[in-house]
Amino acid sequence: MSGAHFAFTDRWGGVSAAPYEELNLGGAVGDDPEAVRTNRELAAKTLGIDPARVVWMNQVHGADAVVVSAPWGERPVPRVDAIVTAERGLALAVLTADCTPVLLADPVAGIAAAAHAGRPGMVAGIVPAALRAMTELGADPARIVARTGPAVCGRCYEVPEEMRADVAAVEPAAHSETSWGTPAVDVTAGVHAQLDRLGVRDRQQSPVCTLESGDHFSYRRDRTTGRLAGYVWLD
Ligand SMILES: [Zn+2]
């Protein structure tokens, strides 16, 4: 794939102390801000990108996407769950600990997007919103490459029966059952169904379930914990 880069971190290789050990990249989870800053620099260095050219979001489980052409700098970080750019070399980052990180890129048009799709965001349509913002900038779904990262899987994400029904009414592909036989939601399956319906065929899904993996942060498992990051950028 010429020009498009996708990366997902795990929890190792940073400086945060327990319960955020080691590579917590989330700035709003109670960790030492200095440790988070160092971790973001370490992660960027590992990826070969400039930490000053990474754009983060103030994620709120909503369905708003915003176009960005430079890091926020002194401006307030917007409360959105997807960021889209036509700026090559600008990296977009999404923070998660069980929610599904969604990275999208049309390397031909030079358009990239990062989206945070938890259960509420997936249901609200954050992924279609990100895709719409991309196509408005000239991206073509037939050329878009989609990668979803480590997330809680559909066999672990237990929800009340009524919640499963509400989610499945919007996105049937997200209907799931836990490995112990109770109602569940598969957010990542819902995301892929939405992308498929909108014409995005080049898709891959991380095999990692955050709740089952000791190498990843999981909010449902640990409650007070760090955040993983997904990064997308174009050369
Ligand atoms: Zn699982």
Side-chain angles (χ1 to χ4, degrees):
M1 177 52 58
S2 66
H5 300 270
F6 307 91
F8 297 102
T9 61
D10 62 25
R11 71 182 296 166
W12 306 123
V15 300
S16 289
Y20 307 104
E21 77 275 24
E22 296 168 346
L23 191 66
N24 167 47
L25 298 166
V29 294
D31 193 4
D32 172 14
E34 193 58 31
V36 175
R37 198 184 59 77
T38 300
N39 288 341
R40 288 182 174 186
E41 283 179 3
L42 288 169
K45 192 175 178 188
T46 300
L47 300 174
I49 58 179
D50 180 353
R53 298 280 294 161
V54 178
V55 183
W56 303 86
M57 295 175 262
N58 187 355
Q59 302 167 189
V60 292
H61 290 284
D64 292 328
V66 68
V67 175
V68 56
S69 55
W72 306 118
E74 298 303 309
R75 292 172 290 162
V77 178
R79 294 163 63 86
V80 296
D81 290 89
I83 37 180
V84 180
T85 194
E87 204 66 39
R88 292 182 184 271
L90 190 66
L92 308 178
V94 49
L95 293 164
T96 59
D98 289 341
C99 291
T100 304
V102 185
L103 306 179
L104 306 165
D106 176 344
V108 177
I111 314 286
H116 164 246
R119 176 183 46 77
M122 186 273 288
V123 169
I126 187 60
V127 173
L131 211 59
R132 197 157 51 242
M134 290 180 77
T135 54
E136 280 169 8
L137 290 175
D140 178 352
R143 286 191 307 243
I144 290 176
V145 181
R147 299 288 181 264
T148 59
V152 63
C153 82
R155 296 177 311 283
C156 288
Y157 188 6
E158 183 177 51
V159 297
E161 174 73 65
E162 193 182 330
M163 184 180 285
R164 177 173 70 173
D166 289 347
V167 171
V170 176
E171 186 45 74
H175 186 279
S176 189
E177 190 171 278
T178 61
S179 56
W180 54 98
T182 58
V185 164
D186 189 333
V187 174
T188 301
V191 166
H192 279 265
Q194 292 174 336
L195 288 169
D196 191 61
R197 215 177 288 125
L198 293 166
V200 179
R201 303 281 183 255
D202 185 346
R203 305 188 311 271
Q204 282 178 21
Q205 173 179 348
S206 166
V208 173
C209 168
T210 45
L211 192 141
E212 295 174 76
S213 167
D215 295 326
H216 295 76
F217 297 118
S218 169
Y219 173 77
R220 284 180 77 88
R221 182 186 61 219
D222 299 326
R223 294 295 156 176
T224 302
T225 190
R227 293 294 179 272
L228 310 162
Y231 298 83
V232 59
W233 71 98
L234 291 152
D235 287 330

